Amino acid sequence: MESKAKKKNNKLIHVSVSVTSNQVNEQTTGKIFLLNDITNRKANELVNNVLYNISRAANSDISLTQLYPIIREELSTIVDTTNFYIALFDEEKNKLYFSYYTDETGERNKDFLGSKYSNSDSIFNYIFKTGESLLLSYNKYKRMIARGDFISHDVITNKQTWLGVPLKIENRIIGSMVLQSYTDPDIYSEKDIKLMEFVSQQVATAIERKQIEEKLKFLSLYDFLTKLPNRVLFYDRMRQEIAYSKREQKKFALMFLDLDNFKEVNDKFGHDAGDELLQETAKRFNNLLRKSDTICRLGGDEFIILLPRLKHPRENTEDVIQKIFSAFSQPFKIRNNSVNIHLSIGIVLYPDDGEREEVLIKSADKAMYMAKKKSLNSYHWADFKLI
């Protein structure tokens, strides 16, 4: 059997217990108890169980956001995670961001936390850049600040302690994982550093696996350049809206848009400038539309917008068109160049101009070319049906 026992110094240990009868002349005179200290073995089993559960979660169909609390909960069985931070490096923005944290002070504003700690002078960046694990007592914390290793963004007390490790995958560091206590300066030890360094590799691997999964899922549904929905996602939302509109006897509008002078920007400033213009165009569209609206980049400089569940289809759509023209009347600043963009827009209504996705899109496309023939910044309503 296994049990717990108390040593002379009152320290509890895990033991395995075996019992043998002591016999003399076939008479049982007592029993012999043999206790074997298995504390280390039990600790290793606990760590292995933590790693197994984190790995199993990473291989399940949960999201990255759902994975973080599981990581913290599993780690809490081997180390105190009351104040727990995971900061990851964003290569595109060249900075750390806080993907997950929980803090006993009740701070829950991610933007505030990011503004405090994501700068290059924070303890999180120090761990990320140096790849060095830290166990900081009050005195060591002050020495490192005085030396200029990082800047403190908190009031430092002699009861505060930090334990931080880099999140490594082989020789590559993807971020940092930090534990903190405001009240117990002795809560972490050198042994905990080794423990956290060991488990951090599995944590980093689990996080990266989920990041790759979510990136692949994103790329299957969104345009990589503009981050707008792609054809697959747009058609899916359009089919849903057709089903709803047919059931509820409602109408929705579809707008096909083209940037009239996009080719000139590419030819004059280069394709990188053209890509930047498309990204800025997507931002302007997103700022104008409702959450229920969907805008898709079909390819090149062509976009299509779904305006669902309109109370007054024509009036509502024309309001959106005027907002678009107004927003695009302001020039874009592309690589220190001022660029003016003009739009041509074709509009169809469901079911007036068709009841199938392909028919509606073709009608809107044709209406857009009719608008292009009129003048700059023109729109045209489809007044025909394609069979």
Side-chain angles (χ1 to χ4, degrees):
M1 60 176 290
E2 293 181 358
S3 185
K4 291 182 179 180
K6 187 180 290 187
K7 299 178 74 171
K8 289 182 179 180
N9 60 3
N10 288 325
K11 180 181 178 181
L12 282 175
I13 61 172
H14 291 273
V15 294
S16 65
V17 183
S18 58
V19 185
T20 304
S21 296
N22 187 32
Q23 293 186 329
V24 178
N25 297 327
E26 297 183 353
Q27 294 293 319
T28 300
T29 60
K31 294 182 178 180
I32 300 172
F33 287 78
L34 180 62
L35 278 66
N36 184 35
D37 188 344
I38 58 170
T39 303
N40 289 337
R41 193 194 83 193
K42 296 294 286 186
N44 290 336
E45 288 177 356
L46 187 57
V47 171
N48 288 335
N49 190 54
V50 167
L51 297 180
Y52 171 77
N53 289 338
I54 292 175
S55 178
R56 185 176 63 177
N59 284 280
S60 69
D61 59 358
I62 64 172
S63 68
L64 182 57
T65 303
Q66 293 171 312
L67 177 64
Y68 292 129
I70 294 175
I71 291 173
R72 174 178 174 258
E73 184 179 350
E74 290 298 328
L75 291 179
S76 70
T77 63
I78 56 176
V79 67
D80 187 277
T81 59
T82 303
N83 303 297
F84 180 73
Y85 308 79
I86 291 179
L88 301 177
F89 185 69
D90 186 328
E91 292 184 357
E92 289 186 11
K93 297 181 180 179
N94 194 34
K95 64 184 295 186
L96 284 181
Y97 69 97
F98 286 85
S99 56
Y100 179 79
Y101 70 95
T102 181
D103 194 322
E104 67 187 14
T105 63
E107 177 59 64
R108 290 293 180 270
N109 188 319
K110 285 191 175 184
D111 293 334
F112 174 74
L113 192 70
S115 65
K116 283 177 65 178
Y117 294 124
S118 64
N119 295 326
S120 58
D121 57 8
S122 74
I123 183 174
F124 298 92
N125 268 281
Y126 180 85
I127 295 170
F128 168 72
K129 289 186 296 185
T130 64
E132 178 184 340
S133 298
L134 293 178
L135 176 58
L136 297 180
S137 62
Y138 171 72
N139 291 328
K140 186 175 180 181
Y141 194 56
K142 289 189 68 175
R143 284 198 305 271
M144 292 188 72
I145 292 172
R147 199 167 63 197
D149 292 330
F150 49 80
I151 294 175
S152 173
H153 297 271
D154 294 302
V155 176
I156 310 171
T157 70
N158 58 8
K159 293 183 178 180
Q160 196 169 356
T161 184
W162 296 76
L163 192 162
V165 295
L167 290 170
K168 289 183 179 179
I169 300 175
E170 296 178 348
N171 296 322
R172 184 165 49 87
I173 301 175
I174 67 169
S176 53
M177 180 167 59
V178 175
L179 309 175
Q180 182 189 18
S181 175
Y182 297 96
T183 56
D184 186 354
D186 301 316
I187 194 169
Y188 304 120
S189 65
E190 293 291 334
K191 182 180 176 182
D192 292 320
I193 287 185
K194 299 298 181 185
L195 178 63
M196 288 297 289
E197 286 178 337
F198 180 67
V199 301
S200 68
Q201 297 178 44
Q202 183 66 47
V203 170
T205 301
I207 290 173
E208 185 174 64
R209 179 186 179 87
K210 281 298 174 190
Q211 285 179 325
I212 292 172
E213 284 181 5
E214 295 194 351
K215 184 175 182 179
L216 291 173
K217 183 177 179 181
F218 179 87
L219 292 176
S220 70
L221 297 174
Y222 292 85
D223 174 54
F224 177 75
L225 180 65
T226 62
K227 307 299 186 289
L228 296 177
N230 62 15
R231 284 175 184 268
V232 175
L233 182 54
F234 187 82
Y235 269 80
D236 180 66
R237 291 183 180 176
M238 196 173 169
R239 280 190 289 268
Q240 292 180 34
E241 193 57 33
I242 287 174
Y244 170 83
S245 298
K246 185 178 295 185
R247 184 174 65 250
E248 302 295 329
Q249 299 295 303
K250 300 290 185 180
K251 293 186 178 184
F252 66 82
L254 205 63
M255 299 196 303
F256 202 108
L257 304 95
D258 178 82
L259 308 185
D260 291 335
N261 50 333
F262 177 72
K263 185 177 183 301
E264 296 173 17
V265 175
N266 265 345
D267 293 341
K268 186 174 181 179
F269 303 111
H271 289 282
D272 288 343
D275 287 347
E276 188 176 333
L277 175 60
L278 290 172
Q279 291 171 333
E280 292 303 315
T281 296
K283 290 178 184 177
R284 289 200 187 181
F285 281 136
N286 280 326
N287 290 334
L288 292 170
L289 300 176
R290 304 169 301 172
K291 288 185 178 180
S292 58
D293 301 333
T294 299
I295 177 167
C296 160
R297 181 189 174 210
L298 288 176
D301 61 341
E302 292 182 336
F303 299 84
I304 190 164
I305 297 175
L306 173 67
L307 301 176
R309 306 181 192 191
L310 303 173
K311 291 184 178 179
H312 308 286
R314 283 188 172 267
E315 294 87 340
N316 296 153
T317 302
E318 294 203 355
D319 286 343
V320 173
I321 290 171
Q322 294 309 319
K323 289 179 181 178
I324 291 174
F325 284 146
S326 176
F328 278 77
S329 67
Q330 301 299 317
F332 289 85
K333 294 295 181 182
I334 305 297
R335 305 196 172 193
N336 297 321
N337 298 296
S338 183
V339 177
N340 290 295
I341 288 296
H342 307 294
L343 298 170
S344 296
I345 305 175
I347 318 107
V348 295
L349 286 180
Y350 171 91
D352 304 39
D353 303 302
E355 297 187 11
R356 300 196 309 274
E357 305 97 282
E358 295 82 1
V359 170
L360 289 166
I361 291 175
K362 286 180 180 179
S363 297
D365 185 18
K366 188 170 182 180
M368 183 270 292
Y369 278 102
M370 297 292 289
K372 198 180 282 284
K373 293 177 181 179
K374 291 181 180 179
S375 62
L376 297 176
N377 289 334
S378 294
Y379 67 95
H380 184 79
W381 285 91
D383 51 3
F384 49 82
K385 293 183 180 181
L386 292 180
I387 305 301

